[in-house]
């Protein structure tokens, strides 16, 4: 009899801004799901966002998690894994599933791109032309070719139930950035597989991204986790909580002497209200 793989969840913050309450909720949910199932909770620092990444924030994140009373195992940060991203990208390119794109954001806007689930849907300008070698190129996933290769796919979300992969709201997403060997989508999919994550718990703002991640798992032969996209904490203005909208950073509350475990308890209660 094959035993089910052990339950592994993760929290994967990017050190390009302080953690706030919404991050605390995500971390607590991922932590508690792992602990309740006798599994492991991982911390992975997603630090490849070049100029926006501030490595010193990673230490603040560890202090925040400790302050909330969470226990974790830390796995290597993304910046140590660039070779694996390049290898997967080379494989996808060799199979003709990626195409180079030299468009700038303003060119994409000017081409009349429609808004999608994650910003504008790329109108495919570079798909049918030879790239100008003098301009830096990103590499996009050819969604039509990917679908032809994978056939219909489904992924399982704890709250939403079975979801059929549909890339039409996302278009041909970038998998290799102009300045990096991966985009968020490629890096996070490879990392979750490398870290043997079995349950991806994160905010519902990343729900649409899972269509891409499930597609990549199929294309690259990676194990398929379960997902748990939890509802987001909203501010009184109905907007997502973020520091720029007045929600104080966890570090600020910690340094002001607030009790982090008590805050975690309140967030757990709130979770019951949100129905996560
Ligand atoms: N690094 C992402 C963020 O901070 C989260 C990625 C994920 O959970 O998949 O928003």
């Amino acid at each position: 009899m094959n035993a089910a793989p052990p339950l592994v969840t993760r929290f994967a913050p990017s050190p390009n801004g302080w953690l706030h309450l919404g991050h605390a909720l995500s971390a607590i949910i991922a932590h508690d799901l792992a602990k309740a199932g006798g599994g492991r909770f991982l911390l992975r620092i997603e630090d490849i966002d070049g100029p926006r990444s501030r490595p010193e924030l990673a230490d603040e994140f560890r202090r925040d998690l400790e302050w909330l009373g969470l226990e974790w195992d830390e796995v290597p940060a993304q910046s140590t894994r660039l070779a694996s991203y390049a290898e997967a990208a080379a494989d996808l390119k060799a199979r003709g599933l990626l195409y180079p794109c030299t468009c700038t954001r303003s060119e994409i806007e000017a081409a009349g791109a429609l808004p999608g689930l994650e910003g504008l849907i790329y109108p495919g300008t570079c798909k049918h032309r030879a790239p100008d070698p003098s301009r830096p190129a990103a590499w996009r996933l050819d969604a039509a070719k990917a679908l032809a290769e994978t056939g219909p796919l489904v992924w399982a979300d704890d709250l939403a139930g079975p979801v059929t992969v549909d890339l039409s709201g996302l278009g041909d997403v970038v998998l290799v950035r102009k300045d990096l060997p991966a985009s968020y989508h490629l890096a996070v999919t490879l990392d979750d597989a490398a870290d043997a994550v079995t349950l991806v718990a994160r905010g519902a703002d990343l729900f649409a991204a899972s269509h891409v991640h499930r597609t990549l798992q199929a294309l690259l032969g990676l194990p398929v986790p379960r997902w748990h996209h939890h509802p987001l904490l909203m501010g009184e203005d109905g907007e997502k909580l973020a520091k720029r909208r007045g929600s104080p950073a966890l570090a600020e509350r910690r340094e002001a002497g607030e009790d982090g475990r008590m805050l975690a308890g309140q967030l757990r209660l709130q979770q019951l209200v949100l129905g996560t």
Side-chain angles (χ1 to χ4, degrees):
M1 194 177 82
N2 281 339
L7 176 64
V8 180
T9 68
R10 85 317 191 258
F11 178 55
S14 305
N16 50 25
W18 299 89
L19 298 187
H20 57 81
L21 270 186
H23 294 108
L25 180 68
S26 278
I28 289 167
I29 289 175
H31 171 273
D32 290 2
L33 285 167
K35 300 296 164 181
R40 290 173 75 208
F41 169 60
L42 308 180
L43 170 66
R44 183 177 65 232
I45 305 294
E46 303 216 318
D47 61 345
I48 58 167
D49 197 0
R52 296 205 309 148
S53 191
R54 294 163 54 197
E56 71 281 6
L57 286 180
D59 268 338
E60 297 287 344
F61 293 178
R62 293 180 193 106
R63 279 185 211 114
D64 290 338
L65 296 185
E66 205 175 310
W67 176 70
L68 291 166
L70 307 186
E71 287 169 10
W72 68 92
D73 292 325
E74 185 159 352
V75 291
Q78 283 190 329
S79 52
T80 66
R81 307 182 188 213
L82 302 183
S84 73
Y85 308 152
E87 195 183 317
D91 172 25
L92 295 170
K93 282 179 198 174
R95 290 156 60 191
L97 290 161
L98 306 189
Y99 63 87
C101 170
T102 55
C103 291
T104 60
R105 180 181 291 269
S106 47
E107 284 168 342
I108 295 172
E109 279 164 16
L114 298 173
L117 299 172
E118 256 191 3
L120 295 176
I121 298 179
Y122 182 64
T125 322
C126 280
K127 191 169 166 176
H128 308 290
R129 69 178 179 191
D132 172 351
S134 68
R135 295 181 66 188
W139 289 78
R140 292 182 177 275
L141 177 68
D142 184 327
K145 275 195 187 163
L147 177 67
E149 196 162 308
T150 64
L153 294 170
V154 174
W155 51 279
D157 185 274
D158 279 356
L159 286 94
V163 185
T164 301
V165 167
D166 179 0
L167 293 174
S168 61
L170 294 139
D172 291 350
V173 295
V174 170
L175 291 191
V176 178
R177 284 172 33 166
K178 286 178 183 168
D179 56 341
L180 285 174
S183 67
Y184 158 69
H185 293 304
L186 182 60
V188 82
T189 306
L190 291 167
D191 293 348
D192 283 340
D195 296 337
V197 170
T198 59
L199 176 56
V200 176
R202 60 184 171 204
D205 51 341
L206 288 168
F207 190 91
S210 299
H211 291 292
V212 178
H213 304 172
R214 179 68 187 88
T215 303
L216 288 175
Q217 284 150 7
L219 292 174
L220 296 168
L222 303 174
V224 181
R226 211 168 87 222
W227 281 265
H228 182 114
H229 289 100
H230 63 80
L232 301 180
L233 286 177
M234 296 294 179
E236 278 165 21
D237 53 3
E239 290 282 332
K240 200 169 114 182
L241 275 189
K243 179 150 167 55
R244 64 181 178 283
R245 301 198 185 91
S247 160
L250 298 181
E252 222 173 289
R253 302 172 77 136
R254 171 161 58 76
E255 274 158 26
E258 196 176 325
D259 184 331
R261 287 171 189 259
M262 197 115 94
L263 176 66
Q266 287 161 2
L267 286 169
R268 289 188 172 101
L269 274 179
Q270 195 139 7
Q271 234 180 290
L272 296 177
V273 177
L274 288 170
T276 64

